[in-house]
Amino acid sequence: MMNRQTPSIRLDGKVALVTGAGAGIGRAIALAYADLGARIAAIEIDAERATKLQDELGSDHHVATGNVCSANDLAALFEVIDTRFGKLDILVNNVGDSLRLRGPFETRSEDDWDALYAINLKHIFACTRAALPLMRRTGSGGNIINMSTIEAYRGAPPAAVYAAFKSAITGFTKSIALELAPENIRVNIIAPETTESAQVPVSRMIAPEHRDHVERWIPMARFGTPRDAAGCAVFLASELSAWVTGTTIHVDGGALAAGGFYRTPTGEWTNFPVVTDVGIGWRPPS
């Protein structure tokens, strides 16, 4: 008879580290993994969010308050993972931020470049290097998931430096995926379009006069939710993706495929502007 055993989506017995897990996509991933049986290690810079996540997850999990850009905070975190869990099966490098450093390239200082590098790329190097000895410990492989953005796959004119570091994640991921493939350690990318979160509260960022355009800006007629990205993170961490490495999942509702095309109020497609300003931007809470 044919072996029809279905690959499991369960993560029982796995240990997963999720960075920036106190809110948004990181929190959704941590909770989804825990629901599927994984033990969670997490790091979150906001102490209140870290405490709340620890309470939600329970005592079988560990949530550290710390900054992934701090070598000392990362060293302390990995020491706890080693001592308490003894291994690491899944690493989600979720932290990233434009730091609202947007505008013409020549207006950005070298300090801005360094800050964007630290939070969008350097810490991914540091976390990955620290994770590999723990992933190798069991000899059964592992998973590394790097969170990027679709801005790494199209031009981002007001944020060239941010986009450059996000683009670099792609080169790093493909290259290290090849290095680690013989050890069955898989490395992939999730690249979301604008997703509702505490970091990007998109529902508050759209001017009232433009809110009827939202369903036409994205082919699937809405912005993303943390749950959308978490679903892809579950796929990449589970047996369902056992032969997937070095690739990117675009969680964007079809935005990248559409390029610059949008639907007009009458339902036609156009690649000409449908609003008279940027349409979305940082606004004070209403």
Side-chain angles (χ1 to χ4, degrees), residues 203-212 217 277 279-281 283:
S203 60
R204 295 206 316 261
M205 294 168 63
I206 302 171
E209 64 269 23
H210 296 317
R211 287 175 184 165
D212 62 339
W217 283 340
D277 58 22
I280 184 171
R283 306 175 191 282

Side-chain angles (χ1 to χ4, degrees), residues 173-224:
T173 298
K174 288 183 175 182
S175 298
I176 199 169
L178 298 181
E179 287 186 29
L180 300 176
E183 300 176 75
N184 197 34
I185 297 175
R186 299 188 289 109
V187 193
N188 292 290
I189 296 171
I190 295 174
E193 169 62 288
T194 304
T195 298
E196 182 77 42
S197 67
Q199 187 183 73
V200 185
V202 66
S203 60
R204 295 206 316 261
M205 294 168 63
I206 302 171
E209 64 269 23
H210 296 317
R211 287 175 184 165
D212 62 339
H213 288 290
V214 171
E215 66 180 26
R216 292 183 288 273
W217 283 340
I218 305 292
M220 292 191 73
R222 64 175 177 84
F223 287 109

Side-chain angles (χ1 to χ4, degrees), residues 27 61 63 74 76 83 89 100 102 110 116 121 127 134 141 177 196 219 223-224 227-228:
R27 179 177 179 275
H61 310 271
V63 182
L74 282 185
T83 302
D89 302 290
R100 301 192 188 181
R102 303 172 70 84
E110 291 194 23
L116 288 166
L121 187 60
C127 285
L134 288 168
E196 182 77 42
F223 287 109
R227 182 183 177 92
D228 296 320

